[in-house]
Each structure stands twice: as C-alpha cells, then as structure tokens.
Amino acid sequence: MDSSAGRVKTPLSVSYKQIGTLKPRSTKEIESSRITVGCETLDRDFTDFNAYKNYLPLLGVKKIRLQAGWAKCEQVKGVYDWKWLDGIIDFAVANKLNPWLETSYGNPVYEGGGAKGLLNSMPTSPEGYAAYDRWVEALVTRYKTRVYEWEVWNEPDHPSQKNEPETVAALNIRTAEIIKRIQPDAKIAGLAFASHTDTIYLDRFLKVISDKEKLDLFHWISYHSYAYRPEDSYKGVMNLTKTMEKYSKKLRLRQGENGAPSGYIPSYALDKFYWTEYSQAKYDMRRLLGDLGRDIETSVFTIIDIAYAGNPPVLNMKGLIQSDFTKTAIRPKVAYYAVQNIASVFDNSLELVPGFSARASTTDSVSVFGYQNKTNKKQVISIWLDGKIPANAFTTVPTDIVIENGNFNQPVWVDLMTGRVYEIPKSDWTKSGNAYTFRHIPLYDSPVLIADKSILTLMK
C-alpha cells in the first residue's frame, strides 16, 4: 500500500504550480458518504475477504455490498454456520464500514430451493420458499444491530434466470416484510435488476407492489448499468426515474453494481475490449461522479479481481485491487487510488448546489456538476470530457468555464486520478457579481475538480 504523494504516475502535464496532493482519509475519519464498494461473491468463495480486508478502511468508502450466502450458511438443513459472515460483519462495523447485505442466492440443499449462483437461483417450491423465509428471519435477527441496509435478490431479471417481474415482486414483498417485522427501521433496496433500460419490466414489478400497497417497504430501487461509455446509461436511468414516479414520489434509485476491468476479459460485462488501468480508473470515476452529480447513491464493482469458477475459469479484472486465481491481493491498481481520492472529497459534508449552472467553451461533450459545503457553501465543481469511451491519452483541452452563482475564495484545480492539487493563477480567473469565469482550464476524459481549497484535505 503506497500512501505517498506520488503514488500514481501518469503522463499528464499541466502548467499550473502544484501545491499539494489530496490526503487519503480512512473510514474512521469520514462520518458518512453515498459511495459503496463491492465485496461480492464471498458467498461462493471466488474471492478471499482476509486477503483484501485491510485495504477497505484505507479506501475511505463507507459502505460495502455483499451477498449473505444462504447456501454457504446453511449446508445442512436447519443448521446455520455464521462464522465466515460474522467475521466480515464484525470487521466492517469495527472499522466504521456499513454493510449492505443481500439475501440471495438460493440453496440447493432444499428441493426447489434454487441454485447458489446467478443461474436459476430463485426458489421454485413451497419447501424452498418456506426454507428461504426461515433463512431471512435468521439472517436479520442475527445482524439487526449491525446491518441496516438490505437488498433482496441479485439480478433476478438476468436472461439466465428468466424470472417474470410479478414473481420477483412477490419475492421482494415477502422478503421485505420479514426484514421490517424484525427491524422496522431497515432500509431495503428492491429489484437490483441487471438492466437500466427495461422500463416495462420495472413497471410490471412496481405495479404488483403498488396494487398490494407495499411500496413503503422499500427505500430504493437498485439497478446495474454497464455501458462502455458510462454516460450512455443515463438516458435509460432517467427513464427508470419516470417509471418510478408513476407509483411513488419517495422511492429513490440506487446504482448497485458497476465498474470497468483493467484489462481484456473474454466474458462478463464490458468484455472483449482492451481496457487498461488508466481507462478503468477513468471509467470508475466517471460512473461514481456521474451518479453523485445526478443525486444517485452509487457503488463501484468491485474491491478485488474475481476468480470465477468454470470451464475455463475467468478472472474478472474489475477489481480495484489486482488478484489472480489464487485470490491473493497483489497490489492496489490506479483505480483504487482514484476512488480513494473521490472518497476523500465527496463525503456527507457536501451537497449538490441548487439550480447549478455552468458553461464550457468547447464543442466537446462535457459533464459538469456543482457541489457545496453544507456549512460555509464553498464549492467543488467536477468536470470532464465525456464524449468517448475512456481512453489512455492524457492530452488536455484548454477550456473556458463560466460558473453562475459560484462561491470560491481560493480556487484550485485537482486531477482526481493522481490526487494532485494545483494553484489556478489569479490571471486565469475573474469574478463578476456571483459569476466566476475560469480561463484555459485543462480538461480531458478523466474527472478534474475546480474546488475551493478550504474544502480539501491535503498532504504536501
């Protein structure tokens, strides 16, 4: 683990004077945030928690998502072995990490209990459903004082499962009712569906829940949104919001699983493309900040490369940490440090600027979002060129940016991949009323910040 100011090397070159580097903040130093990191597949032993657990507090992300693993906990009917899961939950709580626990998958020890992976995993028999109900009750009873956020079932709409939305809705209701009976203040994410464009599936799912007057059981609808250019997801995501609003004004979207590989993978999401550690880091940052900028709670998939069993086995290289088929934690990748930089800045001390407005003097497509400190209202602006799939180039485009109703005393420029913080020369920015004009700001296809220095925690 490298905690030095120069821990990430890139070819990026800017003319500004560097004045420091973002200081990583551990989970114990951050009260809360809306960012999750995935710790999935531990239920099937595709990764090893003990190999990577000490990297989690240093990342600064406040939540972890994982499957609770019914089939791993109950290998003999009626006998629950919690040892492996206790170790994870205890470690998380001790390190101020909030576990986000999923009740899937099924359990083949019961006839019709479903499978323990994604394929055909939901229960199909009365015996299977009765055993599942007992599992959920036992799970929530055990962890109700340590786990407060739940998700029902992973990707029930996946083509490999072929579950009708009405069936999935019924499973979500029965699960949520058990959780709420034992833990009334629990927050539950429903659906967790693989598609971010299938509004018909979502509509049918929500209609069942609405007709049964059970919408108040759920706090979020979670979704997964893989697209090679991350911003291509948002048209579909906004359509999901419109569909939800037909049934409820209180339900919120939650992005539950998304991230890019750091190399070529032959299968799984975003496969058959020549990713690198640089393009992975750019992708992960653009997804996280694209979500937060749209007021969507977000998750990065995943903490470590996943060694999927199969014939042949596949190493899914979406991890922030490099691994191999031995499940060893080899080293943090560039994306680990990039997410660490985001976690250092984007915590619960920030909120979106109401009615934020900015203009950029480029013909390139740009993503730009405004945040402010809740107390002093000083601002942080995230901005990047978003027109293409993240690439390996580091050539910047000098761009003039006008921010209406800005609030800066000492604006600085931050490259989030490296965490380096630079002084913006006074000759390159002016204030007229509440409008700030920044000239020749370097932009590229990776997120950068214009931030008031007071908001940032720096190391020399």
Side-chain angles (χ1 to χ4, degrees):
M1 184 70 189
D2 188 349
S3 58
S4 70
R7 61 192 183 275
V8 175
K9 306 290 192 299
T10 76
L12 180 69
S13 176
V14 296
S15 60
Y16 295 158
K17 176 185 176 182
Q18 185 178 349
I19 60 172
T21 305
L22 290 175
K23 183 180 180 180
R25 298 167 64 203
S26 73
T27 53
K28 291 183 178 180
E29 298 174 279
I30 297 171
E31 181 181 352
S32 68
S33 76
R34 304 180 72 197
I35 305 172
T36 298
V37 63
C39 293
E40 295 89 353
T41 75
L42 290 164
D43 58 318
R44 286 149 288 161
D45 298 313
F46 295 157
T47 61
D48 178 2
F49 186 76
N50 288 323
Y52 68 71
K53 67 182 182 182
N54 290 325
Y55 290 95
L56 289 170
L58 299 173
L59 185 62
V61 169
K62 290 293 291 185
K63 300 182 182 184
I64 60 172
R65 174 183 181 253
L66 62 152
Q67 288 89 25
W70 178 20
K72 187 171 180 176
C73 290
E74 189 185 2
Q75 298 182 34
V76 176
K77 289 183 179 181
V79 179
Y80 299 107
D81 182 356
W82 303 104
K83 184 177 180 180
W84 74 277
L85 191 53
D86 280 348
I88 296 169
I89 303 300
D90 290 346
F91 180 90
V93 172
N95 287 279
K96 306 298 183 182
L97 283 159
N98 300 314
W100 175 20
L101 208 51
E102 196 174 61
T103 61
S104 58
Y105 291 105
N107 194 340
V109 75
Y110 291 97
E111 184 70 29
K116 61 182 179 180
L118 186 65
L119 181 63
N120 296 323
S121 61
M122 280 177 51
T124 56
S125 70
E127 180 189 9
Y129 273 111
Y132 172 75
D133 290 349
R134 294 192 298 271
W135 150 250
V136 175
E137 181 170 3
L139 178 69
V140 180
T141 299
R142 188 168 189 85
Y143 297 116
K144 64 183 178 181
T145 61
R146 288 172 285 171
V147 177
Y148 303 98
E149 298 181 11
W150 303 86
E151 191 172 56
V152 177
W153 205 271
N154 188 55
E155 298 190 350
D157 63 316
H158 194 281
S160 68
Q161 301 205 64
K162 301 181 177 64
N163 294 308
E164 295 297 318
E166 292 77 13
T167 302
V168 176
L171 177 72
N172 272 249
I173 290 170
R174 73 189 298 149
T175 306
E177 286 183 328
I178 295 169
I179 295 172
K180 287 285 194 178
R181 172 169 53 82
I182 300 166
Q183 189 186 44
D185 59 344
K187 291 183 177 180
I188 302 171
L191 193 50
F193 67 146
S195 173
H196 65 277
T197 59
D198 194 346
T199 55
I200 295 175
Y201 196 103
L202 176 61
D203 189 90
R204 288 171 59 186
F205 172 87
L206 289 174
K207 186 177 187 306
V208 172
I209 297 175
S210 177
D211 288 349
K212 293 183 179 297
E213 299 182 345
K214 300 294 184 180
L215 287 169
D216 286 344
L217 290 171
F218 301 94
H219 189 81
W220 304 280
I221 296 296
S222 58
Y223 68 94
H224 305 162
S225 59
Y226 292 95
Y228 288 86
R229 173 182 170 266
E231 294 77 15
D232 284 339
S233 295
Y234 290 116
K235 181 179 179 181
V237 169
M238 293 305 106
N239 287 334
L240 298 183
T241 299
K242 292 176 184 176
T243 302
M244 285 194 333
E245 288 176 347
K246 289 172 51 180
Y247 296 96
S248 172
K249 300 298 184 183
K250 294 191 296 184
L251 270 177
R252 304 298 301 275
L253 278 180
R254 184 171 189 170
Q255 190 278 104
E257 180 192 306
N258 194 244
S262 60
Y264 183 96
I265 56 175
S267 55
Y268 298 102
L270 305 182
D271 61 359
K272 301 177 178 65
F273 188 83
Y274 289 94
W275 298 96
T276 68
E277 286 198 32
Y278 286 149
S279 58
Q280 177 197 30
K282 292 178 180 182
Y283 182 103
D284 287 355
M285 288 191 291
R286 283 165 59 169
R287 166 60 71 232
L288 292 178
L289 292 176
D291 289 344
L292 292 178
R294 292 171 172 84
D295 199 23
I296 299 171
E297 190 153 339
T298 188
S299 181
V300 60
F301 182 82
T302 183
I303 184 62
I304 196 167
D305 294 340
I306 299 174
Y308 282 105
N311 188 19
V314 174
L315 186 67
N316 192 346
M317 293 187 289
K318 293 186 178 74
L320 303 181
I321 299 168
Q322 181 186 359
S323 187
D324 57 21
F325 284 108
T326 70
K327 306 171 204 172
T328 300
I330 297 170
R331 63 173 180 86
K333 302 178 189 176
V334 173
Y336 178 96
Y337 296 117
V339 173
Q340 189 181 53
N341 289 331
I342 287 177
S344 175
V345 178
F346 292 90
D347 64 2
N348 67 323
S349 68
L350 297 182
E351 62 187 1
L352 289 169
V353 175
F356 175 73
S357 176
R359 304 188 305 276
S361 66
T362 176
T363 57
D364 293 320
S365 179
V366 174
S367 284
V368 56
F369 302 99
Y371 305 81
Q372 63 186 13
N373 181 276
K374 291 177 181 177
T375 302
N376 63 23
K377 306 304 180 183
K378 298 304 178 187
Q379 293 182 355
V380 177
I381 310 303
S382 64
I383 186 167
W384 64 93
L385 302 180
D386 67 10
K388 297 179 181 178
I389 298 172
N392 295 304
F394 285 81
T395 303
T396 59
V397 177
T399 306
D400 294 347
I401 301 165
V402 178
I403 299 171
E404 304 290 346
N405 296 313
N407 191 353
F408 303 90
N409 282 343
Q410 187 178 353
V412 295
W413 185 87
V414 184
D415 176 51
L416 279 174
M417 186 179 297
T418 60
R420 293 173 188 163
V421 181
Y422 299 83
E423 181 182 75
I424 300 176
K426 187 64 182 73
S427 58
D428 282 358
W429 66 275
T430 57
K431 178 185 177 186
S432 177
N434 289 327
Y436 286 75
T437 299
F438 295 92
R439 289 179 289 275
H440 318 303
I441 296 297
L443 297 184
Y444 68 124
D445 64 343
S446 184
V448 301
L449 306 179
I450 298 172
D452 193 82
K453 184 184 175 184
S454 66
I455 291 175
L456 310 177
T457 304
L458 304 185
M459 60 181 175
K460 297 295 185 181

